[in-house]
């Protein structure tokens, strides 16, 4: 601890980094950031932007960058992204911004990207499922996994699904996002021997709309399948990452 | 009308038959029986036995037989069936009883069975769907349609489904009964060009159980599909019969 | 297959048309379009515009036109329609645009309109049910069926309903759209001997509003009736088309 | 009050009657009985037997008889009724027991039956609605209203309904009980100019079963209609009684 | 009928009025208007403006005025009202417009206002319940009933309720509108001997919000109470009017 | 710790008591018993008997008695109680058994009953609420609080409620149990200045039955009120005990 | 009363204050204000601004200030606050405005702030819970309690929670606000011996979102916990205040 | 294929085994058994006994044993188990029966048990969660994984949870079963870096009972977690097995 405090004293460590090191989390204006989560959990705390002001989003991203050299953000609106980009342009011009759908990942040059020897297959039934799949992809890529995206193979035209069977079987773990009746994860999980994580997507209208029918169907699936909440691409990506990491560790 | 009343007078027509002829329905002790429904609707009124006493079931069956020479009963319990069998043994020993699962059809020798030049395919996902499919089958058979049963081809083992594709394509109209996530009608309807009627079955447990997930999924299906209520085999059979009859009429 | 590739080589067939011919679907920027659905299913894939950007809608419509010489679109907003119209004015000035409510059908001069010898009756309870009925009508008309629209005959003034009974009985299949308590399909189905497809409409407020009461009531109907999801005019139209086609085929 | 206490003292008034007179309710072993409700509200407190022990039911009935010379009981099981009958046979052999379905009304010879110059029409769609209609009828009859029962005229066979239109129009107020989709009150209320009270009945199965679809449909009715809870025959009967009494008072 | 047609011929009757007279309803551009409803039902068809375009609202109002000399409109937005006012200024400058909350009543000088010898008490729990009470009031006033408004007497401050008890007891029928937990109708109905109609109001937030808790509570009320749907002031007013009319008729 | 182990060695402390002392909980055959909960939380762990076998209930009760000299059990069936009584008769003949409704409290002679200088008022609307109130009472009495039961004062007869106002105002904290529409806690909380805890009771039938309407109404109450789950008498009693203890501590 | 009227006559008391003194509530243009609630209930009536016009909010605030020298407002929007501030600047320039999140408290110099010898701990799981906690805090501070805010200690990083255990144990009563799965109140209540009031917060998305999962979880908590509705910070603050006042009274 | 048929001919292969080899599934009297599932999916088809007759269960178990040398059964009742045991005693006396809770695994001596170099931790919150955990354990053990059971560490006594942290961290994948509010998986997943699969258990009563609150809470968890349906121990065990197998394969 002496060392740490000396590093703060001579400026080679910011007070926030020291707090993160000592307590595991940092207390900023926009709340406490769980800087140690990546070490403890294997996946970093992401900043859920929906419902936060642009100022809060920027402040949390800054804290994340300062203490862990990277920031993961989900459900980022246009105006939140603009505020973030402007801010980083001024305060961290050497940061790299990777934006996919509504998900954003920022890294500083100090960040050492990890690498996992494992592939996560990310599958969608149709166009509307893509932002959810993007959210999952960002988490997996951040952790260094290989991501194989297989889009638009919903069961209404079953040959689209079956044509991709070989690729689906090559992944170490599969995330399958589908809305409406959500049958795709069930059909896929009946044909492969890898773990499948179903993600219901909030498409559809009328009774069972907003993803509820898809969630119900995945929970009731007659195949083996685990599920995350509606649109919870981040959680699916996190769970796939934990599995990929366990496989990577075993491969070493 | 004069003729009718004379027929009653000379005993060649029972009062109940005359009432059925004149008003379209008969008022018995256990309620009014819609004797004219078969003529008006193309499918007879069925006696829904669940929640009725054995006495009420027997009385309604007797009225149906007396006025239309046949009776269709659904959701018949063991004890209701025993009461019916005993009663018919005494009062109508020449009646024919056809029992499938919990559905029963009784005909007197006076009944002239119709015949339809059309095939209804009735498909199930698994063992638990069979009583519901039986209920549908009884209605179609009563109307004289050909019934092709294809059982136990749920999507968890997709090759079971695909192996039957040619038979599925040969039917004029398909009823597909499935519980749990109810994906089978969606997969089938994506592969054939005949009308498909989905019947959710009240299997499954936990969230979305009791057929709710299957119903939701069929309503949200990304293929073209119409649906009846959970376990409503009779309604599915009735609707398929109306379609089969229209096809039969056009074939003449 | 050689022939096909030669046709591509000499330009008489676009690559998209060839892909559609060979694989049954086309992979464009805005997703895979199921060009073979019409052949396989008897009804074409429609483009569900709600929730898509104008660019995606236009791109999918173009793919549909290029491979099948027509495009069917539902839930098209004003701005999506404007974008489509502008685009077609430039790229396909000889295309014909047929717009009914929020539904749109585009055909090129190469499209050979089919014709079915069968009538679909499309019935509404009140003014608010009309866009849903329009959606159904577009599908039936596209398939070449005769459509008989009977509007505004809800059961609150029963004589309005009964006055149209003869027309209702003349159709080969009936689509009945109704909101609020959704009793119209039940009353109609009790009076005709043709198949009736109920479409709950998302009118009404308070408990059971947004079409839920209408859906529940149609599922619980004491007459024979099959049902589609709330506002699912396209699905009802598709199912009626499949029935109409079966009747038409039998008539030949 | 002096008089009252003297009457207790000389035995011409029981302590329970005196308490009822003074405070409006009586405190017995099985709870407080609201003896003054009939005077205050125009309808007596009924004893809801479901979920109570036979002992509690008997005790409450005794208190009701002692203080108001009559007892109204609903949802009375066979065993509760047997206990009541046995008890009354011993303790109140001159009481009159009127049992309809699961509803029971007991009066002592001291009870002076009221009489109302008003008719309540009580209508059912089918056999299963009858116990609920019985419950309503008992309350109306207890208050002295004329009750006109019109049974089994559900809308699946609309002519059954229309045949009774004249009788329906003659009542001063209508109670219409219906299960399944519950369309009967809507159809009736569209044809008469008297107040209609809808009672959803817990028939039906699957989605919207247990009377929920009927309740939803009556709340969403496109005609003017007020509603009580599922199976709440007593409440419907009470409300009709209050209306009948107001009309009777105005007729004087 | 000859007379009628001659009246049309000489211009003393418009074609719409003649159609209304002959068939009971009029077919205009914006749908069929049930001009005979007032005679048949005792309350006129109201125009539910929510979800309709201003043009549709104006057209329906015009048809109503033309055939019945008055129009009743509910859920009228600012812009719909402006369009109506402008239109009437041009086409029917002598019409009288009565606007209460979002409800509007228009009468021409030819309208002969009815009068009922009966009082409807309309009660609210708080400020947010007032537009719903206004809707009820407009219907009752249109029918000629006396309306007694008692506002803002919710049970959180019980003395506010009890202070008004005498007024509440003087009405012939009571409408009680309340949101949140909706206890006011229960408390009132326990203290008066007139029929009480509860109207749940869509106030409140969180679980049971939007009027659902109020509806549930009124349906479960331990007093005698009938109920209409959430915010259904028009239906409550209509039902109260039918009761008031029956009392008025009996008083004559 | 040395002391503790020596006490075990010389038999003055059982191993279970020692484990409870050291770790805070005891691991028995039927699960871990949280023996330290009373010290940590101020209320003991109760044994929820519903769904457990009689053997499990007895085993848990024995562990509780052995480590804390008393056992609290809720939702105890007749057969579970018989098993417990038999077992205690043999193994702990000097234990005292206090049974109220379905709740049971057992104490050994070593138990030193606490005493709190605070009164908990426990109020019910009707007879069916009493077992729930009993459950609450057992917890409060176990902690040494004074309990004032006020039964059967539901709002349908408001004078029953108001007659008890003085007693209600004297308590330090109130528990109010009510089923059906659950309005009693709202009315009471509007009249007193003590904390009120509402307990919805699973009475009522139809829509909002099983206590759901009561829960919704209490959550939406327009007065200040906190709530526990349906039938959760134990939780209400526990919360009231914690408040009573805080008041008792402050009084010293 | 004579005195009161003389005070009105000589102007030392406004008519509104006199009405508040005499009847307990004041009738203004925007409804009746329950000026006596603070005395009767121990917490003042707050003005719930959501859904009211700025004019109504200002009018109610003025009535509150005039009769009780302070006003409490919740769910105040920016524009409502601006209107209030402008109005007060003109009419009550010496008033003090305390704004926290969307909650506002206004006091005149005549207000004598109370003081309670008791501490309310107000705890949040994350940033989104803060406006709800603010609402609770305003009520407690208004009553004179000490408030200890402990923010952002959600269980995803359990050390954040455990680090604050000592502070949590020092409070006399705890309010714990949490969204998503709402586990924080359960974890906290398992570790302290003070009453805990859980407040579910309407964060989260998908199934169980909008605070429903948090509410369900708190109602099902395996610890002792009472609950208020989703986002009902005011109710939680009111209940905590009543407990704090009881403790304060006992301490004297 | 020749070989296969010769093996059938000479009796070294049963027809059922040959059908399983050729088509992947076997058609028996009680339905089609998916004999190839284990090879295709990595986990065998289990026989879900609930709702099946004892005869069906025995027949399916026999088919499973005949074709794959083992049978896995879940939700087996006492009487189903007795029938199975009797049948096996006669027909397969050398089979080994392993019964855990309501789950059963039967193996013949020909079965070669696999072995996986991976540990699945199976965790429960309380006694009621154990049958669900048993179901999961049977699947994992069948696949040859090491299972580490950690029972009864619910968060109401947090030290019970934290005491087991080291064991929890040693597993390769964790299954956490919890009922009531279901907070245990969230707390555990916040402290380990392995994949956690939450299983909601159908304990609890009142609102959110039957496992719904637990499911909602796990879906809303603020940590990374995937979920299976309520009580779906088999699915959780299957998913954990797939993960364990992937790790085992990587370790080789």
């Amino acid at each position: 601890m002496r060392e740490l405090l000396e590093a703060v004293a001579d400026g080679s460590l910011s007070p926030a980094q020291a707090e993160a090191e000592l307590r595991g989390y940092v207390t900023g204006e926009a709340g406490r950031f769980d800087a140690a989560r990546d070490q403890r959990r294997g996946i970093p705390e992401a900043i859920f932007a929906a419902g936060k002001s642009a100022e809060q989003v920027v402040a949390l991203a800054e804290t994340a960058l300062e203490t862990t050299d990277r920031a993961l953000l989900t459900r980022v609106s246009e105006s939140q992204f603009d505020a973030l980009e402007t801010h980083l342009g001024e305060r961290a011009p050497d940061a790299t911004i990777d934006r996919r759908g509504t998900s954003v990942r920022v890294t500083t040059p100090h960040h050492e990207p990890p690498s996992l020897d494992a592939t996560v297959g990310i599958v969608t039934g149709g166009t509307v499922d893509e932002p959810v799949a993007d959210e999952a992809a960002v988490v997996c890529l951040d952790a260094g996994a290989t991501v194989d995206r297989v889009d638009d193979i919903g069961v209404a035209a079953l040959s689209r699904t079956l044509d991709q069977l070989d690729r689906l079987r090559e992944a170490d773990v599969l995330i399958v996002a589908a809305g409406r009746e959500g049958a795709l994860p069930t059909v896929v999980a009946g044909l492969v021997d890898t773990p499948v994580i179903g993600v219901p997507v909030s498409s559809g209208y009328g009774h069972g709309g907003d993803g509820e029918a898809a969630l119900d169907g995945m929970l009731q699936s007659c195949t083996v399948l685990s599920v995350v909440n509606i649109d919870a691409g981040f959680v699916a990506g996190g769970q796939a990452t934990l599995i990929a990491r366990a496989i990577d560790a075993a491969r070493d």
Side-chain angles (χ1 to χ4, degrees), chain A:
Chain A
M1 182 164 162
R2 183 74 165 275
E3 259 175 280
L4 212 89
L5 295 175
E6 280 168 358
V8 175
D10 68 17
S12 66
L13 203 71
S14 76
Q17 281 173 309
E19 189 191 352
E21 204 72 41
L22 285 168
R23 315 186 47 144
Y25 53 84
V26 191
T27 309
E29 267 173 52
R32 295 182 218 268
F33 178 74
D34 188 4
R37 186 169 299 182
D38 196 7
Q39 270 165 274
R40 196 177 70 247
R41 281 293 286 138
I43 39 172
E45 176 164 10
I47 297 156
F48 185 81
K52 295 204 173 72
S53 69
E55 289 68 38
Q56 289 176 313
V57 169
V58 166
L60 285 165
E62 186 162 322
T63 304
L65 284 174
E66 192 180 349
T67 52
T68 64
D69 281 320
R70 81 155 148 354
L72 232 63
L73 304 99
T74 62
R75 319 278 165 106
V76 180
S77 69
E78 280 303 316
S79 61
Q80 288 171 332
F81 182 76
D82 292 348
L84 183 67
E85 207 173 32
T86 304
H87 179 86
L88 292 174
E90 291 164 12
R91 297 283 295 264
D94 55 356
T96 306
I97 304 178
D98 179 13
R99 185 191 193 187
R100 292 169 183 249
T102 60
S103 301
V104 178
R105 180 167 164 263
V106 185
T107 44
T108 72
H110 304 290
H111 180 61
E112 289 164 28
S115 170
L116 294 182
D117 179 12
T119 300
V120 179
I122 302 184
V123 182
T124 61
T127 312
V128 293
D129 309 326
E130 297 193 10
V132 175
D134 286 338
E135 203 177 289
V138 162
V139 191
C140 298
L141 291 169
D142 176 72
T146 304
V147 165
D148 185 25
R149 276 289 283 270
V150 185
D151 280 320
D152 218 0
I153 61 165
V155 297
L158 198 64
S159 58
R160 292 190 299 202
T161 321
L162 299 179
D163 281 3
Q164 305 295 332
L165 203 47
D166 289 344
R167 270 174 77 192
L168 298 177
R169 283 180 171 148
E170 266 160 34
D172 291 297
V173 51
L174 284 167
I175 293 170
V176 185
R180 304 293 297 268
E181 85 285 41
L184 184 58
T186 287
V187 168
V188 167
L191 297 167
V192 302
D193 65 354
T194 33
V196 173
I197 300 164
V199 193
V201 174
S202 64
S203 62
Y205 56 89
H207 186 69
D210 289 326
E212 291 287 345
L215 174 64
D216 291 8
M218 294 182 198
L219 287 171
Q220 289 288 345
S221 176
C222 48
T223 59
V224 164
L225 201 62
S226 74
V227 183
V228 298
N229 204 353
I230 298 163
D231 292 339
F234 175 78
V235 181
Q239 182 80 334
T241 294
L242 295 180
I243 297 172
R245 177 159 311 151
I247 291 169
D248 170 78
R251 277 191 177 133
D252 289 344

